[in-house]
Amino acid sequence: MNINLRLETPADYHAVEALTREAFWQFWSEEQQICDEHLLVHRLRNVAAFVPELNYVAEISGQIVGHIIYTKSRIEDNSGQTYETLTFGPLTVSPEFQNRGIGQALMLHTFDEARHLGYRAVLIFGYPDYYPRVGFRRAAEFDITTAAGETFDPFMVYPLYDGALEGVQGRYYIDPVYESLTQEDALAFDKQFPPKQPHIPSLINVLLDRLEPHAAEAIQGLGFRNLEMLKSKSEREISSLPGMNANAVETIRAVMQEHGFRWGI
């Protein structure tokens, strides 16, 4: 399979947004009416933090099947010293072409480009058992927290060269555009695309019914109502819960796979 990577052009904008909509048509709550990732891509191109030199699409036989978009971010230490970093997202791969290395190809190519541009690191919030496969590490290992002072496995760092984050620690800040989206805005923007049936999340009960009581109680304690939300927890985090064991972890992996989700190491 020949994957062609190239910079996105204005002629690609609508196709990329449609692709992003299709790839992220999964909702995290029953109350959510629409995904907003395609609106996010649309807005990211117009913020000052946008990095057009890293805005790439992936093509197969002339068809756009993937996309990655970057913005500048920063780490700020206790003294007020700031260190410029990068954030990407959404990272989009067509549902028909997932698990074929397209996302990894987009990441590794743009990491090389970012290194040549002089950036030191990429920080993201993402699925904690996927991104370590390409070299991401937990932000906690670098004493880097969110702007609110928190840390968790989905918050990850990719240093772009050895020693890139030596002596760098503090709080991480991203562009406000990531927190600016509303369901009303997303619904209005979505009118540009063909109608699509709302996604109905898979309720967490389909997993709880398969687990032993102690393991089910541990999962219930997370407060998750559907399987989509469970994707935000790493296998390491789930395994450390009271009442969990190897059999329970394998059951979770199997149930997630049955419902179309890759989960775990």
Side-chain angles (χ1 to χ4, degrees):
M1 182 178 65
N2 184 28
I3 304 172
N4 178 47
L5 304 179
R6 63 168 176 83
L7 289 169
E8 184 191 51
T9 70
D12 301 321
Y13 286 178
H14 187 77
V16 166
E17 290 159 8
L19 174 69
T20 305
R21 177 184 189 246
E22 189 68 23
F24 286 92
W25 199 257
Q26 294 176 345
F27 308 157
W28 284 60
S29 71
E30 292 77 13
E31 293 78 19
Q32 187 175 356
Q33 299 174 280
I34 190 72
C35 69
D36 56 22
E37 284 81 0
H38 55 324
L39 172 58
L40 177 58
V41 168
H42 180 77
R43 289 186 173 177
L44 284 172
R45 300 190 192 101
N46 297 301
V47 299
F50 173 56
V51 185
E53 299 90 344
L54 300 175
N55 185 30
Y56 271 80
V57 297
E59 291 180 319
I60 294 178
S61 300
Q63 176 187 353
I64 295 177
V65 296
H67 175 245
I68 193 167
I69 189 167
Y70 282 80
T71 53
K72 297 176 185 177
S73 53
R74 74 182 193 276
I75 298 167
E76 184 173 322
D77 66 20
N78 292 334
S79 71
Q81 173 73 37
T82 62
Y83 306 89
E84 189 172 68
T85 57
L86 289 169
T87 289
F88 70 69
L91 168 60
T92 302
V93 176
S94 167
E96 298 176 11
F97 288 88
Q98 290 180 2
N99 304 318
R100 300 191 191 184
I102 295 169
Q104 182 171 327
L106 282 165
M107 282 187 282
L108 295 180
H109 179 77
T110 52
F111 292 168
D112 284 341
E113 293 294 313
R115 189 179 301 113
H116 294 149
L117 290 169
Y119 291 100
R120 67 173 69 229
V122 179
L123 290 86
I124 62 167
F125 300 95
Y127 296 127
D129 286 329
Y130 170 72
Y131 288 100
R133 300 172 193 171
V134 294
F136 276 91
R137 296 159 59 187
R138 290 185 295 136
E141 297 179 31
F142 299 90
D143 292 325
I144 298 171
T145 71
T146 66
E150 300 173 331
T151 186
F152 33 76
D153 282 9
F155 181 33
M156 292 170 282
V157 176
Y158 186 99
L160 289 168
Y161 54 88
D162 291 342
L165 293 174
E166 185 175 346
V168 177
Q169 55 186 278
R171 300 192 180 212
Y172 174 62
Y173 296 89
I174 57 176
D175 193 274
V177 68
Y178 287 98
E179 305 296 333
S180 70
L181 307 179
T182 68
Q183 284 286 280
E184 291 75 17
D185 289 345
L187 285 165
F189 182 70
D190 198 67
K191 292 179 180 179
Q192 302 179 40
F193 303 89
K196 189 174 175 66
Q197 286 295 319
H199 171 74
I200 300 176
S202 302
L203 296 180
I204 199 70
N205 289 348
V206 301
L207 170 61
L208 299 180
D209 292 343
R210 300 264 293 271
L211 293 172
E212 294 296 323
H214 290 303
E217 184 178 352
I219 296 298
Q220 282 181 307
L222 297 173
F224 294 163
R225 295 170 58 182
N226 57 63
L227 296 184
E228 279 87 340
M229 298 179 74
L230 190 60
K231 290 166 63 180
S232 68
K233 289 291 184 182
S234 68
E235 182 175 322
R236 185 192 72 86
E237 291 175 298
I238 294 298
S239 298
S240 67
L241 294 174
M244 298 299 297
N245 55 37
N247 287 336
V249 169
E250 286 305 315
T251 298
I252 295 171
R253 195 190 322 277
V255 171
M256 293 291 278
Q257 185 172 3
E258 289 167 11
H259 288 80
F261 303 121
R262 292 184 67 183
W263 178 86
I265 298 172

